[in-house]
Amino acid sequence: AKKVLIEGLNRESPVLVNCRSILYSSGAPILERAQQAGLARDDVRIEDAMRLVQGLAAVVFPSEAERDKVVGLAIDGLRAAR
């Protein structure tokens, strides 16, 4: 069981590579549409947005309110200037 878990967490494991590919290929069109609509910053790449999401997912927040605040800050950082 440990071997399977370790292999699954390997950055180059087929499962992780496939999951990453699906996330990037499905997220890129969403980001592009938001940019075309003037809702997301033009200088944000899908890689940037995914790193932001990955960072947020790794954090343990002390409360739902704190989580919501930080997620809001992250979303505000992706928004286009008005």
Side-chain angles (χ1 to χ4, degrees):
K2 287 183 183 179
K3 183 178 179 184
V4 172
L5 180 60
I6 290 169
E7 288 174 6
L9 294 175
N10 177 351
R11 294 179 64 96
E12 301 309 319
S13 76
V15 172
L16 190 57
V17 169
N18 187 45
C19 288
R20 185 182 315 128
S21 174
I22 291 168
L23 287 169
Y24 277 69
S25 64
S26 60
I30 296 168
L31 176 60
E32 289 169 13
R33 285 195 301 273
Q35 289 169 322
Q36 291 168 354
L39 300 172
R41 293 171 40 167
D42 289 331
D43 64 338
V44 175
R45 300 171 306 142
I46 188 61
E47 294 82 5
D48 302 325
M50 291 304 298
R51 283 188 200 105
L52 186 61
V53 170
Q54 291 165 354
L56 288 171
V59 176
V60 176
F61 293 97
S63 68
E64 286 184 29
E66 278 295 312
R67 182 202 60 217
D68 292 349
K69 175 183 172 187
V70 172
V71 169
L73 290 168
I75 291 171
D76 287 345
L78 294 173
R79 282 198 180 107
R82 296 185 188 249

